[in-house]
């Protein structure tokens, strides 16, 4: 009934999913890269996934797909923040003492 799985259960689930993806050909690779992009944007901590991908996929494939996912996630996160959330952030920080100090230091 725990919402957060145990580390052992999480590890087993991640390895199982990645093994399935590695055996699914091109669709599995695309699914991994897109899922890793989403993971990078939302969770941020990628080491466990990249380590498991290194076990599931051949070395070069794991590096390539993880790079695509990580760079894609970072790029999409930047674009979303820059163009969708910047006006909201500016409004929230407009009368913020800390932001005034940061602006004053430049």
């Amino acid at each position: 009934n725990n919402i957060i799985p145990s580390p052992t259960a999480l590890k087993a689930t991640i390895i199982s999913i990645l093994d399935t993806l590695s055996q699914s050909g091109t669709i599995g690779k695309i699914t991994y890269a897109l899922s890793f992009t989403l993971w990078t944007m939302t969770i941020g901590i990628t080491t466990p996934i990249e380590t498991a991908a290194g076990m599931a996929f051949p070395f070069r494939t794991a590096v390539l797909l993880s790079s695509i996912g990580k760079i894609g996630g970072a790029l999409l996160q930047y674009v979303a923040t820059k163009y969708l959330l910047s006006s909201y952030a500016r409004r929230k920080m407009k009368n913020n003492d800390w932001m005034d100090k940061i602006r004053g230091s430049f």
Side-chain angles (χ1 to χ4, degrees), residues 4-11:
I4 299 173
S6 72
T8 305
L10 183 60
K11 177 181 170 184

Side-chain angles (χ1 to χ4, degrees), residues 16-92:
S16 173
I17 291 168
L18 290 174
D19 280 340
T20 301
L21 291 176
S22 73
Q23 297 168 9
S24 300
T26 303
I27 294 296
K29 292 174 184 176
I30 292 169
T31 301
Y32 170 72
L34 292 175
S35 299
F36 193 61
T37 297
L38 183 62
W39 181 281
T40 300
M41 290 177 65
T42 56
I43 308 292
I45 301 168
T46 60
T47 306
I49 304 302
E50 289 169 307
T51 304
M55 291 186 282
F57 292 101
F59 177 76
R60 288 183 180 180
T61 303
V63 170
L64 177 65
L65 296 176
S66 292
S67 297
I68 290 169
K70 195 170 234 180
I71 293 167
L75 181 63
L76 289 174
Q77 197 171 35
Y78 170 79
V79 169
T81 303
K82 174 92 174 150
Y83 297 105
L84 300 177
L85 302 174
S86 63
S87 61
Y88 172 78
R90 281 189 178 91
R91 277 196 317 271
K92 287 293 188 183

